[in-house]
């Protein structure tokens, strides 16, 4: 053992052993020597980017974008700050840097928002301020989610300084990207709705920077509703830069909390009222008796009808807690005058009022956002928007302690600021009373808030009506700068709109009270006494009760209240909202629209008789005073009166009484008034408004369809209106270079007015039928008030005359007129009754028109054609009736064709006048003058779809005459009617036989009639082998020429051929006459 131990000891290495060197041997290397025996070779690098020139896009320190972005991650705060400063310098000097590298810049810099060093955060905020002022603001919206993430991180940071800078950064983003200061001019959205609510909830946890927190909350809680076009819109109109902007209005699609399924109606209702007619506020509600078992079973029922235990235990809203706490911490406004010479002192005094205004703005917008939220409207994205029952009780205690309304003297310096706070707080109270609160809110508290709001409106109503200027405008403008340019007091139309919105909410309480949802929060809030007070304050704001303004259009408050009063009367103004202009839209009753626009006409008349009549009468007067200054408002008023006329169709209703009282006041607007000194009639306001069926003129014409009663004066006034201001009467008005007269009624409007006169609600028997026939004759005999200024004016006038003539013909042939004339009582068939109407109504009117002047003969022919076109179809087989049509047709021929009848209706002059040429063109281009309407030949088919020449107008009028001639008799009598027409024309030709053709002046109207009659016979294959055997009553027309009466078709054909040959050989005859005879010669073989 010992030996072994010694061997191992000798073999073990020793520490720090010295190496022995031997003589003559190479020195051994030390044990710690490094081996340096290696080889090195040179590496050739072709290019090094870092060693090259950096180009022109560098800072003054020669740093490019890559170096600056890399320095953002440097450990030194000074380097990071200098990098942000350099980046701002680089981007300012070179616009292309931002345009090409915006994503890289945003990604590298957003983390600076939560940097621990204040100098870095300040530099970052300065860079973001510059970036938002550039044209790249719209492109920056693509990174909104990234920016919002950094803002939320800063607001929730553990460092209080970082949270403060995060608040300042949020205010920067909201003011530049969501407000009027954005470069693009459009409201953008940095935060989504969920992110905005979460940020708002975080802001409410802050205890410092109260004013800045309120400013951010105000912007975050803005309601982005839906406008009339269906697109998303944003922003609160009351916080715009203009003073006249109105407050945020409820959306039309606002959901009813009792219709969304939130509140379950099952379970016992423990709220039983001891007395429904309690005289005082406090005795109107009973204290519910609730047991512990009811609470455990979930049967406790809140004011909104919910039966869930969770609903009864709603937590306090952080937003409401912050705003109510800030409100109570703010001081009071001085009631009297304050010296404004010291800006610092005045601003500090006014800051209390501005703080309360911001608080109430946030509360109002939170309730509006809750109302827009749908089924989960009160707890949106985990953030409670509506107050709990305890918080509602806090508001009630503020009312009890008289902390609201704010009391300031009428001449006080801060009166406008106090009124702004009070008006907005009144709306908040009413929104709470309507159910925008916790379901366990006491009805007693809701009633207190509603009555307090009503009392304040009664108090401020006289001030709004008088519209007295206050001295607070100076104070408001001087102190607004300290609170931010986004906050303005309610002044002018904005203050009136806010009051009207509160009235809208009050009336919506009444709407639910009268509905089927009994027992809900707002169903028992308004007693009969409050209803009387509500009607009184509404009447005060809606109309000038003192009569100080003779012109209702100058009453701004009354004009703004028109939608509200119309909705209260049940006239559904929302159907005409598109035509309302901005001032009316600012005070639109959206709450009543959401409730279905119920009618309160009976309540208003019961509580305050004559109020509804005063409202409607002011609309009629306003139309006259408005004139053509505001077509949109005029169209809106006419839409309301039109709806009133529709509802007045129920006899004996209140609407009928209102319409009867309001309609006579429309006469100045309709017909105008005559100027003094024998001057011509001034144009009525109606003639100055835009034409068309959808414009003011069309609405007026449709309103006239609801005329309750016609009298001679009214019919005469409307007839003069159409005759003077239609395109026929105004052809000579204005200047020659204008296509239309400055004041005129459109053709559609004239037709509808004429229809209202001729075919109104009243039956047209007796004296009224005679009055209407005179009106029709006056319209048909209308001529231009002055000499027409151009050919285009003449054409338009004649086209309008033909349209009115066609409308009159439709009235003459209607069942309405047949019954009025007693023709329907005759023992005749349906077809014979209408043929009798042509002979006894239409034709006498045409004869009277021809007697008025030879220039009306073509128009008379067109009227006869229009009436004949409305006779039963000639292609159907009709019995030959017992009507004597021979003498009737003979009279028609003598009046319209024969020269001795006072002038031909076929315009056969070789040199037509301007009116005749205009009539020719009107007949040529008007589709209503197509002969095929009465079974004749189509003119376009004959001409091969070529343009009609004016010289061929006689042929077209002759075709209308032949079509009306043949349509006036049964189809079985067509051969006899054709024979009578041919022989009458031939008798007319024989009367000119003694004259030489070369010296005969003008053209013979019978020639084109013969041509068209032969063509009609050939088209319908009429038989001529029995000519000479006409019945006695038909032959009586030819009693003066017995030889012609017995002539056959062959004899007349030969006679016409000889006459055509003579006319062909004649010389020095007008070209038009030669064309007429050539056309007859071409078809005479078919006679």
């Amino acid at each position: 053992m010992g030996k072994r131990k010694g061997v191992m000891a000798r073999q073990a290495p020793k520490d720090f052993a010295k190496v022995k060197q031997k003589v003559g041997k190479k020195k051994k290397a030390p044990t710690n020597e490094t081996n340096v025996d290696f080889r090195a070779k040179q590496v050739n690098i072709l290019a090094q980017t870092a060693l090259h020139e950096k180009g022109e896009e560098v800072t003054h320190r020669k740093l490019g974008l890559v170096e600056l972005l890399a320095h953002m991650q440097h450990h030194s705060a000074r380097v990071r700050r200098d990098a942000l400063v350099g980046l701002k310098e680089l981007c300012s000097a070179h616009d292309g840097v931002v345009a090409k590298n915006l994503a890289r810049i945003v990604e590298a810099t957003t983390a600076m928002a939560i940097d621990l060093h204040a100098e870095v955060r300040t530099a970052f905020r300065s860079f973001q301020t510059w970036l938002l002022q550039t044209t790249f603001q719209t492109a920056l919206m693509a990174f909104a989610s990234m920016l919002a993430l950094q803002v939320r991180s800063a607001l929730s940071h553990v460092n209080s300084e970082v949270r403060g800078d995060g608040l300042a950064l949020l205010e920067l983003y909201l003011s530049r990207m969501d407000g009027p200061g954005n470069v693009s001019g459009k409201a953008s959205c940095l935060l989504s709705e969920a992110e905005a609510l979460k940020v708002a909830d975080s802001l409410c946890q802050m205890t410092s920077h109260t004013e800045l927190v309120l400013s951010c909350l105000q912007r975050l809680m803005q309601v982005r509703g839906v406008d009339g076009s269906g697109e998303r819109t944003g922003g609160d109109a009351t916080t715009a830069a203009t003073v006249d902007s109105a407050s945020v209005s409820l959306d039309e699609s606002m959901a009813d909390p009792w219709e969304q399924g939130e509140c379950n109606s099952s379970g016992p209702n423990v709220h039983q009222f001891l007395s429904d007619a309690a005289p005082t506020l406090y005795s109107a509600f009973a204290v519910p008796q609730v047991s512990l078992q009811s609470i455990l079973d979930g049967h406790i029922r809140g004011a909104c009808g919910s039966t869930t235990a969770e609903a009864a235990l709603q937590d306090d809203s952080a937003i409401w807690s912050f705003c109510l706490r800030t409100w109570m911490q703010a001081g009071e406004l001085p009631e009297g005058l304050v010296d404004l010479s010291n800006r610092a002192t005045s601003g500090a005094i006014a800051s209390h009022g501005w703080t309360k205004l911001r608080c109430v703005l946030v509360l109002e917008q939170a309730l509006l956002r809750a109302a827009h939220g749908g089924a989960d409207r009160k707890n949106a994205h985990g953030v409670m928007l509506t107050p709990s029952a305890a918080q509602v009780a806090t508001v009630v205690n503020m009312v009890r302690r008289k902390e609201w309304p704010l009391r300031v003297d009428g001449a006080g310096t801060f009166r406008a600021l106090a009124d702004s706070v009070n008006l907005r707080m009144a709306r908040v109270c009413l929104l709470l009373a309507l159910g925008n609160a916790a379901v366990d809110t006491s009805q007693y508290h809701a009633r207190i808030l509603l009555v307090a709001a009503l009392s304040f409106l009664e108090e401020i109503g006289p001030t709004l009506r008088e519209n007295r200027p206050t001295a607070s405008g100076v104070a408001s403008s001087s102190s607004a700068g300290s609170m931010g340019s986004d906050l303005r007091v309610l002044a002018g139309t904005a203050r009136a709109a806010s009051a009207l919105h509160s009235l809208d909410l009050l009336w919506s309480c009444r709407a639910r009270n009268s509905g089927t949802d009994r027992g809900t929060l707002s169903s028992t809030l308004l007693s009969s006494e409050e209803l009387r007070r509500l009607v009184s304050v509404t009447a005060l704001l809606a109309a000038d009760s003192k009569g100080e303004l003779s012109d209702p259009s100058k009453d701004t408050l009354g004009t703004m209240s028109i939608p509200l009063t119309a909705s209260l009367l049940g006239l559904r103004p929302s159907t005409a909202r598109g035509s309302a202009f901005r001032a009316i839209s600012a005070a639109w009753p959206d709450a009543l629209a959401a409730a279905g626009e119920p009618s309160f006409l009976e309540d208003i008349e019961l509580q305050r008789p004559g109020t509804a009549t005063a409202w409607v009468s002011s609309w009629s007067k306003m139309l006259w005073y408005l004139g053509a200054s505001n077509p949109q408002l005029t169209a809106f008023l006419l839409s309301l009166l039109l709806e009133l006329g529709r509802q007045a169709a129920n006899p004996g209703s209140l609407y009928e009484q209102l319409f009867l009282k309001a309609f006579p006041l429309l006469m100045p607007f309709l017909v105008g008034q005559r100027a003094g000194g024998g001057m011509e009639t001034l144009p009525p306001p109606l003639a100055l408004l835009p034409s068309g069926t959808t414009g003011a003129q069309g609405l007026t014409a449709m309103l006239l369809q609801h005329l309750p009663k016609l009298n001679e004066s009214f019919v005469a006034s409307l007839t003069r209106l159409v005759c003077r201001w239609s395109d026929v009467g105004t052809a000579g008005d204005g200047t020659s270079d204008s296509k239309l007269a400055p004041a005129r009624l459109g053709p559609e409007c004239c037709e509808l007015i004429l229809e209202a006169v001729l075919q109104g609600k009243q039956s047209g028997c007796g004296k009224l039928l005679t009055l209407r026939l005179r009106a029709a004759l006056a319209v048909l005999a209308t001529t231009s008030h002055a000499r027409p200024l151009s050919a285009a004016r003449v054409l338009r006038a004649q086209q309008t005359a033909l349209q009115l003539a066609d409308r009159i013909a439709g009235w003459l042939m209607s069942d309405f007129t047949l019954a009025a004339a007693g023709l329907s009582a005759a023992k005749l068939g349906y077809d014979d009754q209408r043929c009798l109407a042509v002979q006894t109504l239409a034709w006498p009117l045409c004869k009277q028109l021809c007697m008025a002047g030879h220039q009306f003969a073509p128009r008379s022919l067109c009227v006869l054609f229009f009436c004949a076109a409305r006779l039963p179809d000639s292609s159907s087989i009709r019995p030959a009736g017992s009507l004597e049509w021979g003498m009737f047709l003979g009279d028609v021929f003598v009046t319209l064709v024969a020269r001795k009848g006072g002038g031909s209706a076929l315009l056969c002059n070789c040199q037509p006048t301007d009116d005749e040429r205009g009539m020719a063109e009107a007949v040529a281009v008007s589709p209503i003058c197509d002969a095929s309407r009465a079974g004749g030949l189509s003119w376009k088919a004959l001409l091969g779809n070529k343009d009609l020449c004016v010289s061929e107008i006689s042929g077209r009028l002759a075709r209308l005459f032949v079509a009306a001639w043949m349509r006036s008799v049964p189809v079985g009598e067509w051969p006899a009617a054709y024979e009578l027409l041919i022989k009458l024309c031939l008798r007319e030709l024989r009367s000119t036989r003694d004259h030489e053709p070369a010296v005969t002046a003008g053209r013979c109207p019978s020639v084109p009639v013969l041509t068209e009659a032969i063509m009609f016979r050939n088209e319908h294959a009429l038989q001529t082998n029995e000519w000479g055997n006409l019945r006695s009553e038909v032959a009586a027309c030819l009693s003066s020429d017995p030889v012609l009466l017995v002539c056959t078709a062959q004899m007349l054909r030969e006679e016409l051929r000889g006459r055509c040959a003579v006319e062909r050989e004649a010389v020095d005859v007008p070209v038009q006459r030669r064309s007429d005879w050539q056309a007859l010669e071409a078809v005479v073989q078919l006679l």
Side-chain angles (χ1 to χ4, degrees):
M1 292 294 292
K3 185 177 180 180
R4 183 177 182 84
K5 182 177 180 182
V7 172
M8 293 180 63
R10 289 195 301 267
Q11 291 179 354
K14 295 180 180 181
D15 295 336
F16 307 106
K18 183 178 180 182
V19 179
K20 296 181 179 180
Q21 301 290 341
K22 293 183 179 181
V23 179
K25 298 295 183 179
K26 185 179 179 180
K27 185 180 179 179
K28 295 181 179 181
T31 56
N32 60 348
E33 182 182 9
T34 302
N35 186 11
V36 294
D37 186 13
F38 57 85
R39 295 181 180 181
K41 291 185 179 181
Q42 184 178 5
V43 179
N44 295 326
I45 300 178
L46 298 180
Q48 294 187 19
T49 307
L51 300 177
H52 288 178
E53 189 68 26
K54 298 181 180 180
E56 298 181 356
E57 296 180 350
V58 294
T59 64
H60 73 282
R61 300 177 61 183
K62 304 301 180 180
L63 294 177
L65 179 64
V66 177
E67 290 85 356
L68 293 174
L69 296 182
H71 289 177
M72 298 294 175
Q73 308 298 328
H74 201 274
H75 62 85
S76 174
R78 181 174 174 274
V79 175
R80 296 196 299 271
R81 181 203 65 188
D82 293 342
L84 289 170
V85 175
L87 183 61
K88 179 180 178 181
E89 176 190 350
L90 179 65
C91 296
S92 302
H94 307 282
D95 294 338
V97 175
V98 181
K100 298 177 182 179
N101 306 279
L102 182 60
R104 297 174 58 189
I105 294 174
V106 172
E107 183 178 359
T109 57
T110 49
M112 301 296 102
I114 55 175
D115 196 281
L116 295 178
H117 294 80
E119 55 182 350
V120 179
R121 298 193 300 272
T122 303
F124 171 71
R125 193 163 61 251
S126 176
F127 175 72
Q128 293 296 97
T129 303
W130 171 85
L131 191 60
L132 291 175
Q133 293 176 350
T134 62
T135 57
F136 301 101
Q137 176 179 331
T138 305
L140 194 63
M141 292 305 303
F143 308 95
S145 59
M146 187 182 302
L147 298 176
L149 177 63
Q150 296 300 330
V151 169
R152 294 202 310 271
S153 300
L155 291 176
S156 59
H157 203 276
V158 295
N159 191 328
S160 60
E161 295 182 357
V162 176
R163 292 198 300 270
D165 288 341
L167 181 61
L169 185 62
L170 175 63
E171 197 276 336
L172 171 66
Y173 286 152
L174 293 177
S175 61
R176 297 298 177 88
M177 301 183 72
D178 284 342
N182 56 352
V183 177
S184 62
K186 300 180 180 179
S188 55
C189 184
L190 172 64
L191 301 175
S192 64
E193 183 178 2
E195 291 173 341
L197 291 176
K198 292 178 181 178
V199 171
D201 192 64
S202 300
L203 287 175
C204 294
Q205 309 303 325
M206 302 184 67
T207 57
S208 60
H209 306 90
T210 304
E211 297 298 336
L212 193 56
V213 171
L214 283 174
S215 177
C216 294
L217 279 176
Q218 176 189 342
R219 296 179 181 275
L220 290 171
M221 299 305 298
Q222 285 178 0
V223 179
R224 291 175 173 86
V226 180
D227 60 4
S229 62
E231 298 180 355
R232 302 294 296 178
T233 58
D236 187 357
T238 55
T239 59
T242 57
V243 175
D244 290 339
S245 58
S247 59
V248 175
S249 60
L250 288 173
D251 198 298
E252 294 182 5
S253 59
M254 184 183 70
D256 193 335
W258 298 277
E259 296 177 359
Q260 294 293 337
E262 292 182 24
C263 308
N264 187 8
S265 59
S266 61
N269 185 1
V270 299
H271 282 270
Q272 300 296 335
F273 298 103
L274 299 178
S275 177
D276 292 334
T280 62
L281 175 65
Y282 303 96
S283 62
F285 300 91
V287 179
Q289 301 298 325
V290 184
S291 64
L292 178 61
Q293 187 63 35
S294 298
I295 299 177
L296 295 178
D297 294 340
H299 294 327
I300 183 69
R301 186 182 180 92
C304 290
S306 177
T307 60
T308 61
E310 291 81 5
L313 301 176
Q314 174 180 323
D315 296 332
D316 289 345
S317 170
I319 298 175
W320 280 78
S321 296
F322 177 82
C323 292
L324 291 177
R325 181 176 67 252
T326 306
W327 172 289
M328 289 184 287
Q329 290 176 354
E332 298 292 335
L333 283 175
E335 298 183 1
L337 295 175
V338 176
D339 185 12
L340 301 178
S341 58
N342 190 339
R343 281 184 169 272
T345 305
S346 61
I349 296 175
S351 62
H352 307 306
W354 290 112
T355 300
K356 292 185 176 182
L357 181 58
R358 282 200 186 276
C359 289
V360 72
L361 264 174
V362 174
L363 296 180
E364 179 185 7
Q365 291 164 357
L367 292 177
L368 293 177
R369 182 180 284 272
H372 283 74
D376 192 21
R377 62 196 183 98
K378 296 182 179 180
N379 190 351
H381 305 285
V383 179
M384 191 64 63
L385 298 177
T386 56
S388 63
Q391 291 172 331
V392 174
T394 301
V395 179
V396 173
N397 290 332
M398 290 168 49
V399 176
R400 287 176 173 174
R401 294 192 302 266
K402 297 183 180 181
E403 296 179 7
W404 181 83
L406 303 182
R407 299 296 177 182
V408 176
D409 296 340
T413 305
F414 301 103
R415 176 60 187 272
L417 180 57
D419 287 346
S420 301
V421 176
N422 292 335
L423 284 170
R424 291 194 175 278
M425 194 62 184
R427 193 178 182 191
V428 169
C429 294
L430 292 173
L431 288 172
L432 293 176
L434 281 173
N436 293 283
V439 293
D440 55 340
T441 302
S442 171
Q443 292 182 354
Y444 166 61
H445 288 166
R447 181 171 169 81
I448 290 179
L449 296 179
L450 186 144
V451 174
L454 177 59
S455 301
F456 169 71
L457 291 177
E458 289 178 324
E459 178 183 346
I460 200 175
T463 304
L464 293 176
R465 169 50 58 190
E466 295 173 3
N467 197 18
R468 294 177 301 181
T470 59
S472 57
V474 181
S476 303
S477 61
S478 63
S479 57
S482 60
M483 303 304 299
S485 59
D486 61 329
L487 192 63
R488 291 289 185 271
V489 297
L490 294 176
T493 58
R495 185 169 62 164
S498 182
L500 293 174
H501 279 305
S502 299
L503 286 178
D504 173 35
L505 294 173
L506 280 168
W507 279 105
S508 63
C509 294
R510 176 60 180 173
R512 295 182 179 180
N513 190 13
S514 59
T516 59
D517 49 355
R518 300 284 183 179
T520 59
L521 176 61
S522 60
S523 62
T524 54
L525 298 181
L526 275 177
S527 64
S528 58
E529 175 62 22
E530 276 83 35
L531 179 61
R532 182 192 62 79
R533 295 167 57 189
L534 178 57
V535 172
S536 299
V537 68
T538 305
L540 174 64
L541 297 181
D544 182 21
S545 58
K546 296 182 179 180
E548 297 177 355
L549 296 175
S550 59
D551 184 359
S553 62
K554 296 181 180 179
D555 184 10
T556 305
L557 182 58
T559 303
M560 295 180 63
S561 64
I562 290 176
L564 174 62
T565 55
S567 182
L568 296 179
L569 298 181
L571 300 182
R572 298 182 299 174
S574 59
T575 58
R577 186 169 188 175
S579 61
F581 68 109
R582 178 184 176 187
I584 284 186
S585 299
W588 200 267
D590 294 287
L592 286 174
E597 295 180 328
S599 175
F600 300 99
L601 178 58
E602 295 182 359
D603 291 339
I604 294 173
E605 286 298 306
L606 180 63
Q607 300 293 336
R608 193 183 178 94
T611 300
T613 303
W615 292 346
V616 177
S617 300
S618 65
W619 302 345
S620 301
K621 297 177 182 178
M622 191 179 297
L623 289 174
W624 161 255
Y625 287 102
L626 283 175
S629 60
N630 197 331
Q632 289 183 337
L633 179 56
T634 299
F636 179 72
L637 292 174
L638 290 172
S639 300
L640 298 181
L641 292 174
L642 179 59
E643 180 63 26
L644 178 62
R646 291 169 181 167
Q647 299 195 25
N650 187 14
S653 63
L654 291 176
Y655 292 103
E656 184 184 20
Q657 299 177 15
L658 287 178
F659 193 70
L660 290 175
K661 295 179 180 179
F663 198 87
L665 300 175
L666 285 174
M667 291 307 298
F669 168 74
L670 295 175
V671 300
Q673 61 181 1
R674 294 183 178 275
M679 297 175 61
E680 65 175 357
T681 305
L682 298 175
L686 179 61
L688 300 173
L689 293 170
S691 59
T693 55
T694 59
Q697 291 189 6
L699 292 173
T700 304
M702 288 186 283
L703 176 62
L704 292 177
Q705 307 300 320
H706 301 278
L707 286 173
K709 186 177 181 180
L710 285 176
N711 53 42
E712 184 175 0
S713 175
F714 195 72
V715 171
S717 299
L718 292 182
T719 304
R720 284 196 304 267
L721 175 67
V722 175
C723 294
R724 174 62 184 89
W725 300 108
S726 64
D727 287 331
V728 183
T730 59
D733 295 350
T735 58
S736 58
D737 57 345
S738 59
K739 296 182 179 180
L740 301 174
R744 57 181 286 272
L745 295 178
E748 300 85 359
C749 179
C750 293
E751 290 186 49
L752 292 175
I753 294 176
L754 189 59
E755 180 181 353
V757 173
L758 299 179
Q759 198 168 351
K761 292 184 178 180
Q762 290 178 271
S763 59
C765 57
K767 183 178 179 180
L768 185 56
L769 177 60
T770 304
L771 191 62
R772 286 171 169 169
L773 288 172
R774 290 177 181 174
L777 180 60
V779 173
L780 291 174
T782 301
T783 58
S784 177
H785 183 69
R787 181 179 178 83
L789 299 177
S790 62
R793 289 282 192 92
V794 176
L795 175 60
R796 184 181 295 273
Q798 296 297 346
Q799 286 178 320
T800 303
L802 291 178
Q803 293 179 18
L804 296 179
D806 186 54
R807 183 58 63 99
I808 292 174
W811 168 71
L812 289 172
M813 302 300 297
S814 64
D815 296 338
F816 177 84
T817 307
L818 294 180
L823 300 181
S824 59
K827 296 181 179 180
L828 297 174
Y830 179 84
D831 298 348
D832 288 338
Q833 287 181 8
R834 269 134 190 86
C835 292
L836 184 61
V838 173
Q839 298 182 19
T840 59
L841 290 177
W843 176 239
L845 191 65
C846 295
K847 289 185 67 176
Q848 290 290 332
L849 183 60
C850 290
M851 295 173 59
H854 67 277
Q855 70 272 19
F856 298 117
R859 196 177 297 176
S860 176
L861 170 60
C862 291
V863 174
L864 180 63
F865 168 76
F866 296 150
C867 293
R870 288 171 169 83
L871 289 172
D873 189 4
S874 59
S875 61
S876 62
I877 299 178
R878 292 159 33 196
S882 59
L883 297 180
E884 297 182 357
W885 50 267
M887 298 301 297
F888 161 67
L889 292 182
D891 192 15
V892 169
F893 184 86
V894 171
T895 304
L896 297 179
V897 178
R899 292 178 179 274
K900 60 182 179 181
S904 172
L906 304 184
L907 298 179
C908 291
N909 295 333
C910 296
Q911 295 181 351
T913 62
D914 293 340
D915 289 339
E916 292 176 344
R917 187 178 298 275
M919 171 59 73
E921 294 181 3
V923 172
V925 301
S926 299
I928 59 177
C929 294
D930 190 355
S932 60
R933 291 183 61 194
L937 302 179
S938 177
W939 186 264
K940 290 295 182 181
L942 179 65
L943 293 178
N945 294 328
K946 296 181 180 179
D947 295 335
L948 178 64
C949 182
V950 178
S951 62
E952 299 173 343
I953 187 58
S954 298
R956 179 143 189 171
L957 289 174
R959 182 165 296 183
L960 296 181
F961 178 81
V962 172
W965 180 282
M966 303 304 295
R967 193 64 172 263
S968 301
V969 299
V971 66
E973 301 292 332
W974 277 7
Y978 171 66
E979 179 184 357
L980 177 61
L981 179 58
I982 294 297
K983 291 183 177 181
L984 287 175
C985 291
L986 196 58
R987 185 182 67 178
E988 181 67 18
L989 291 177
R990 287 178 178 179
S991 64
T992 61
R993 183 179 302 172
D994 298 334
H995 302 280
E996 293 294 335
V999 298
T1000 303
R1003 302 154 62 192
C1004 184
S1006 300
V1007 177
V1009 173
L1010 278 172
T1011 304
E1012 294 298 329
I1014 295 173
M1015 294 174 63
F1016 184 89
R1017 178 261 169 194
N1018 181 63
E1019 178 71 18
H1020 295 277
L1022 300 181
Q1023 299 296 326
T1024 59
N1025 52 5
E1026 297 182 359
W1027 278 29
N1029 298 321
L1030 290 174
R1031 296 201 313 265
S1032 59
E1033 60 96 5
V1034 180
C1037 300
L1038 300 173
S1039 59
S1040 60
D1041 196 344
V1043 178
L1044 182 61
L1045 182 62
V1046 297
C1047 287
T1048 62
Q1050 182 64 26
M1051 296 170 59
L1052 296 181
R1053 185 185 303 113
E1054 295 300 329
E1055 182 178 351
L1056 287 176
R1057 283 179 177 176
R1059 185 64 183 273
C1060 289
V1062 174
E1063 292 291 338
R1064 186 174 60 253
E1065 298 298 332
V1067 294
D1068 297 334
V1069 296
V1071 178
Q1072 293 84 354
R1073 176 170 177 167
R1074 188 180 298 277
S1075 300
D1076 293 342
W1077 283 100
Q1078 289 176 354
L1080 177 59
E1081 186 177 10
V1083 298
V1084 70
Q1085 181 65 28
L1086 304 174
L1087 185 141

